[in-house]
Amino acid sequence: MQIFHTISETRAFVRQARARGRVIGLVPTMGYLHEGHLELMRRAKSQCDMVIASIFVNPTQFGPTEDFGRYPRDLERDAAMAESVGVAAIFNPPVEEMYPQGYCTYVDVERITDKLCGLSRPGHFRGVATVVTKLFNIVQPDYAYFGQKDAQQALVIKRMTADLNMDLEVVIVPTVREQDGLAMSSRNLYLEPEQRHAALVLSRGLERARKALREGERNPAEIRQLVIDMIQAEPLAEPDYVELYSYPGLEPLERIEGLTLLALAVKIGRTRLIDNAILEV
Amino acid sequence: MQIFHTISETRAFVRQARARGRVIGLVPTMGYLHEGHLELMRRAKSQCDMVIASIFVNPTQFGPTEDFGRYPRDLERDAAMAESVGVAAIFNPPVEEMYPQGYCTYVDVERITDKLCGLSRPGHFRGVATVVTKLFNIVQPDYAYFGQKDAQQALVIKRMTADLNMDLEVVIVPTVREQDGLAMSSRNLYLEPEQRHAALVLSRGLERARKALREGERNPAEIRQLVIDMIQAEPLAEPDYVELYSYPGLEPLERIEGLTLLALAVKIGRTRLIDNAILEV
């Protein structure tokens, strides 16, 4: 497996593969890989001749008070994991390779970014859309893989790809969970043991909503309150948002029918975790 | 020559050419072609195996009170002109093909768009950057051609292409002028005969600045005033802006040294015309 730190090396490598007719898959990550990332890479490997993973903690998607500085980084560990699932190359640029001095171009996806994480984290999706556009242009993949755990991000990237006529297919891969239900996230590393236990309120909240739905509840406000109550019953957890929207349009709902996104963000100490479920009635 | 109205036909056509190893040039235009456009196409033809021209009056780059509705359109005339210089295909999409319902993604180039036409026409460069990104992604050219007449646009597109790692080369082609000096523009069509004569203040203003520079003037405020005085001496003309900036950085200047962009926008009746010169000391 190759590790590239520059755009030009990565481009040269991909260009050669493309000239040989290879189908190329891209898995953009911020590194500190877990089973969720490996699942994206396995899925890519099953669909493409060659898989490139990017590992880049992207500063433009972090707010000024967020965890850019302490976000975990371990390239050696990541490289071994990526190699074990057949990744051909890692693109791991320094920040100044992606955002050289004078950089000033950003991609904005409007409307679907004015709620959920877009509301809690102003500028977050602008940073995501911008870096993903850059990665797409550098690697020019046939397929790109993202996790359903970041449900709004997946919608933003699909919307951007369609709106800007990017010539690739975006594949969304189901969330991978720990045995006890916690969605895999590099940020789970931040959790102390008792916080790790408290973090189960996220997946349990989703389960609570599913149960209410099975029992016939169709009022989004009622379901929202059930989930909020559950989170607030956990002393170490504080809800950031719990929201239900139509899926994939992210329109407000009077009543649950058709596909509905239940998305939640919860703070456990300084750590903010997200999870979601797509409810089907 | 082929004329395509859909993205998918255009893509299929270009993909075939690329598979045969053809070098592809794109000339984005809003149509109502003139000698300036033909010069872009000839330049493309000399550098590429296949030239695609787009003809699309892009609504997102017009302000609400601007001339989107009355902008001249004549596809038959344009097609004959493009064919005469060897263009292989025209991409002429309807608005809803480029901006279908629910469209919400935009490309923003900051800083260099907060002055000149970016100041007079809020949102203009966002529309330009967005449509050009879309055209680049649809055609995936090796080279794309733009006129120096739109100096700030050329800088915005070069900046965007570099910042977003777009895999193509942007070529800027010198302004083509009428015999009397008026820069070619589709908007010259709007001018009544006496306005057409008054419009010469633009190129004469540039000439006046060059003369002052030759005579040793290095104060940008003095040169700016000479040009403004010249425009104001013409009863049918009203200056929108006359500005000098460093080139290509577009930084304000205390004194003229090195490359300097002198850019001007002038209203002749309802018609707004622009012109510019790159001064070299």
Side-chain angles (χ1 to χ4, degrees), chain A residues 61-74:
Chain A
Q61 73 190 68
F62 287 81
T65 65
E66 291 181 0
D67 57 344
F68 174 70
R70 65 177 186 126
Y71 197 90
R73 293 157 168 92
D74 188 341

PDB file of all heavy atoms in Angstrom, chain A residues 61-74:
ATOM      1  N   GLN A  61     -13.990  22.264   8.592  1.00  0.00           N
ATOM      2  CA  GLN A  61     -15.283  21.773   9.060  1.00  0.00           C
ATOM      3  C   GLN A  61     -15.409  21.792  10.585  1.00  0.00           C
ATOM      4  O   GLN A  61     -16.421  21.343  11.112  1.00  0.00           O
ATOM      5  CB  GLN A  61     -15.580  20.377   8.488  1.00  0.00           C
ATOM      6  CG  GLN A  61     -14.769  19.247   9.086  1.00  0.00           C
ATOM      7  CD  GLN A  61     -14.957  17.956   8.296  1.00  0.00           C
ATOM      8  OE1 GLN A  61     -14.526  17.828   7.153  1.00  0.00           O
ATOM      9  NE2 GLN A  61     -15.634  16.992   8.892  1.00  0.00           N
ATOM     10  N   PHE A  62     -14.389  22.327  11.265  1.00  0.00           N
ATOM     11  CA  PHE A  62     -14.431  22.462  12.726  1.00  0.00           C
ATOM     12  C   PHE A  62     -14.690  23.922  13.080  1.00  0.00           C
ATOM     13  O   PHE A  62     -14.080  24.819  12.493  1.00  0.00           O
ATOM     14  CB  PHE A  62     -13.089  22.058  13.346  1.00  0.00           C
ATOM     15  CG  PHE A  62     -12.812  20.573  13.338  1.00  0.00           C
ATOM     16  CD1 PHE A  62     -12.338  19.940  12.204  1.00  0.00           C
ATOM     17  CD2 PHE A  62     -13.032  19.813  14.480  1.00  0.00           C
ATOM     18  CE1 PHE A  62     -12.079  18.568  12.192  1.00  0.00           C
ATOM     19  CE2 PHE A  62     -12.771  18.450  14.478  1.00  0.00           C
ATOM     20  CZ  PHE A  62     -12.296  17.821  13.333  1.00  0.00           C
ATOM     21  N   GLY A  63     -15.556  24.141  14.054  1.00  0.00           N
ATOM     22  CA  GLY A  63     -15.750  25.489  14.586  1.00  0.00           C
ATOM     23  C   GLY A  63     -14.572  25.874  15.474  1.00  0.00           C
ATOM     24  O   GLY A  63     -13.794  25.007  15.894  1.00  0.00           O
ATOM     25  N   PRO A  64     -14.455  27.179  15.794  1.00  0.00           N
ATOM     26  CA  PRO A  64     -13.298  27.668  16.566  1.00  0.00           C
ATOM     27  C   PRO A  64     -13.208  27.045  17.967  1.00  0.00           C
ATOM     28  O   PRO A  64     -12.115  26.940  18.514  1.00  0.00           O
ATOM     29  CB  PRO A  64     -13.520  29.183  16.650  1.00  0.00           C
ATOM     30  CG  PRO A  64     -14.926  29.428  16.214  1.00  0.00           C
ATOM     31  CD  PRO A  64     -15.346  28.271  15.383  1.00  0.00           C
ATOM     32  N   THR A  65     -14.338  26.617  18.554  1.00  0.00           N
ATOM     33  CA  THR A  65     -14.284  26.037  19.904  1.00  0.00           C
ATOM     34  C   THR A  65     -14.374  24.523  19.862  1.00  0.00           C
ATOM     35  O   THR A  65     -14.534  23.864  20.881  1.00  0.00           O
ATOM     36  CB  THR A  65     -15.449  26.563  20.766  1.00  0.00           C
ATOM     37  OG1 THR A  65     -16.682  26.094  20.186  1.00  0.00           O
ATOM     38  CG2 THR A  65     -15.457  28.072  20.835  1.00  0.00           C
ATOM     39  N   GLU A  66     -14.272  23.947  18.664  1.00  0.00           N
ATOM     40  CA  GLU A  66     -14.433  22.501  18.550  1.00  0.00           C
ATOM     41  C   GLU A  66     -13.094  21.769  18.692  1.00  0.00           C
ATOM     42  O   GLU A  66     -12.073  22.375  19.017  1.00  0.00           O
ATOM     43  CB  GLU A  66     -15.168  22.162  17.242  1.00  0.00           C
ATOM     44  CG  GLU A  66     -16.626  22.619  17.265  1.00  0.00           C
ATOM     45  CD  GLU A  66     -17.388  22.278  15.992  1.00  0.00           C
ATOM     46  OE1 GLU A  66     -16.793  21.671  15.056  1.00  0.00           O
ATOM     47  OE2 GLU A  66     -18.576  22.620  15.920  1.00  0.00           O
ATOM     48  N   ASP A  67     -13.113  20.454  18.428  1.00  0.00           N
ATOM     49  CA  ASP A  67     -12.004  19.586  18.823  1.00  0.00           C
ATOM     50  C   ASP A  67     -10.977  19.322  17.713  1.00  0.00           C
ATOM     51  O   ASP A  67     -10.380  18.258  17.675  1.00  0.00           O
ATOM     52  CB  ASP A  67     -12.559  18.253  19.360  1.00  0.00           C
ATOM     53  CG  ASP A  67     -13.450  17.531  18.350  1.00  0.00           C
ATOM     54  OD1 ASP A  67     -13.887  18.180  17.365  1.00  0.00           O
ATOM     55  OD2 ASP A  67     -13.714  16.334  18.539  1.00  0.00           O
ATOM     56  N   PHE A  68     -10.765  20.316  16.812  1.00  0.00           N
ATOM     57  CA  PHE A  68      -9.778  20.104  15.745  1.00  0.00           C
ATOM     58  C   PHE A  68      -8.411  19.709  16.295  1.00  0.00           C
ATOM     59  O   PHE A  68      -7.779  18.763  15.833  1.00  0.00           O
ATOM     60  CB  PHE A  68      -9.645  21.354  14.861  1.00  0.00           C
ATOM     61  CG  PHE A  68      -8.550  21.227  13.838  1.00  0.00           C
ATOM     62  CD1 PHE A  68      -8.681  20.348  12.774  1.00  0.00           C
ATOM     63  CD2 PHE A  68      -7.365  21.960  13.947  1.00  0.00           C
ATOM     64  CE1 PHE A  68      -7.664  20.200  11.830  1.00  0.00           C
ATOM     65  CE2 PHE A  68      -6.346  21.816  13.010  1.00  0.00           C
ATOM     66  CZ  PHE A  68      -6.498  20.939  11.961  1.00  0.00           C
ATOM     67  N   GLY A  69      -7.974  20.440  17.326  1.00  0.00           N
ATOM     68  CA  GLY A  69      -6.632  20.209  17.867  1.00  0.00           C
ATOM     69  C   GLY A  69      -6.470  18.838  18.503  1.00  0.00           C
ATOM     70  O   GLY A  69      -5.458  18.169  18.304  1.00  0.00           O
ATOM     71  N   ARG A  70      -7.483  18.415  19.255  1.00  0.00           N
ATOM     72  CA  ARG A  70      -7.323  17.159  19.988  1.00  0.00           C
ATOM     73  C   ARG A  70      -7.912  15.958  19.251  1.00  0.00           C
ATOM     74  O   ARG A  70      -7.897  14.842  19.771  1.00  0.00           O
ATOM     75  CB  ARG A  70      -7.928  17.291  21.400  1.00  0.00           C
ATOM     76  CG  ARG A  70      -9.435  17.491  21.441  1.00  0.00           C
ATOM     77  CD  ARG A  70      -9.956  17.542  22.900  1.00  0.00           C
ATOM     78  NE  ARG A  70     -11.420  17.596  22.899  1.00  0.00           N
ATOM     79  CZ  ARG A  70     -12.195  16.751  23.568  1.00  0.00           C
ATOM     80  NH1 ARG A  70     -11.676  15.802  24.305  1.00  0.00           N
ATOM     81  NH2 ARG A  70     -13.517  16.854  23.512  1.00  0.00           N
ATOM     82  N   TYR A  71      -8.464  16.192  18.037  1.00  0.00           N
ATOM     83  CA  TYR A  71      -9.024  15.057  17.276  1.00  0.00           C
ATOM     84  C   TYR A  71      -7.920  14.002  17.120  1.00  0.00           C
ATOM     85  O   TYR A  71      -6.788  14.333  16.769  1.00  0.00           O
ATOM     86  CB  TYR A  71      -9.531  15.521  15.908  1.00  0.00           C
ATOM     87  CG  TYR A  71     -10.466  14.514  15.268  1.00  0.00           C
ATOM     88  CD1 TYR A  71     -11.840  14.563  15.492  1.00  0.00           C
ATOM     89  CD2 TYR A  71      -9.974  13.488  14.472  1.00  0.00           C
ATOM     90  CE1 TYR A  71     -12.701  13.628  14.938  1.00  0.00           C
ATOM     91  CE2 TYR A  71     -10.820  12.546  13.910  1.00  0.00           C
ATOM     92  CZ  TYR A  71     -12.188  12.630  14.151  1.00  0.00           C
ATOM     93  OH  TYR A  71     -13.023  11.689  13.587  1.00  0.00           O
ATOM     94  N   PRO A  72      -8.212  12.721  17.411  1.00  0.00           N
ATOM     95  CA  PRO A  72      -7.122  11.732  17.445  1.00  0.00           C
ATOM     96  C   PRO A  72      -6.511  11.474  16.066  1.00  0.00           C
ATOM     97  O   PRO A  72      -7.205  11.487  15.055  1.00  0.00           O
ATOM     98  CB  PRO A  72      -7.818  10.471  17.979  1.00  0.00           C
ATOM     99  CG  PRO A  72      -9.267  10.649  17.662  1.00  0.00           C
ATOM    100  CD  PRO A  72      -9.524  12.130  17.734  1.00  0.00           C
ATOM    101  N   ARG A  73      -5.202  11.292  16.048  1.00  0.00           N
ATOM    102  CA  ARG A  73      -4.466  11.059  14.793  1.00  0.00           C
ATOM    103  C   ARG A  73      -3.456   9.941  15.035  1.00  0.00           C
ATOM    104  O   ARG A  73      -2.714   9.978  16.019  1.00  0.00           O
ATOM    105  CB  ARG A  73      -3.720  12.331  14.367  1.00  0.00           C
ATOM    106  CG  ARG A  73      -4.625  13.511  13.944  1.00  0.00           C
ATOM    107  CD  ARG A  73      -3.885  14.839  14.094  1.00  0.00           C
ATOM    108  NE  ARG A  73      -4.543  15.981  13.471  1.00  0.00           N
ATOM    109  CZ  ARG A  73      -5.392  16.796  14.094  1.00  0.00           C
ATOM    110  NH1 ARG A  73      -5.723  16.596  15.360  1.00  0.00           N
ATOM    111  NH2 ARG A  73      -5.908  17.836  13.454  1.00  0.00           N
ATOM    112  N   ASP A  74      -3.415   8.944  14.173  1.00  0.00           N
ATOM    113  CA  ASP A  74      -2.427   7.875  14.273  1.00  0.00           C
ATOM    114  C   ASP A  74      -2.289   7.207  12.898  1.00  0.00           C
ATOM    115  O   ASP A  74      -2.938   6.193  12.609  1.00  0.00           O
ATOM    116  CB  ASP A  74      -2.841   6.857  15.346  1.00  0.00           C
ATOM    117  CG  ASP A  74      -1.735   5.824  15.610  1.00  0.00           C
ATOM    118  OD1 ASP A  74      -0.836   5.665  14.751  1.00  0.00           O
ATOM    119  OD2 ASP A  74      -1.788   5.184  16.672  1.00  0.00           O
TER     120      ASP A  74
END
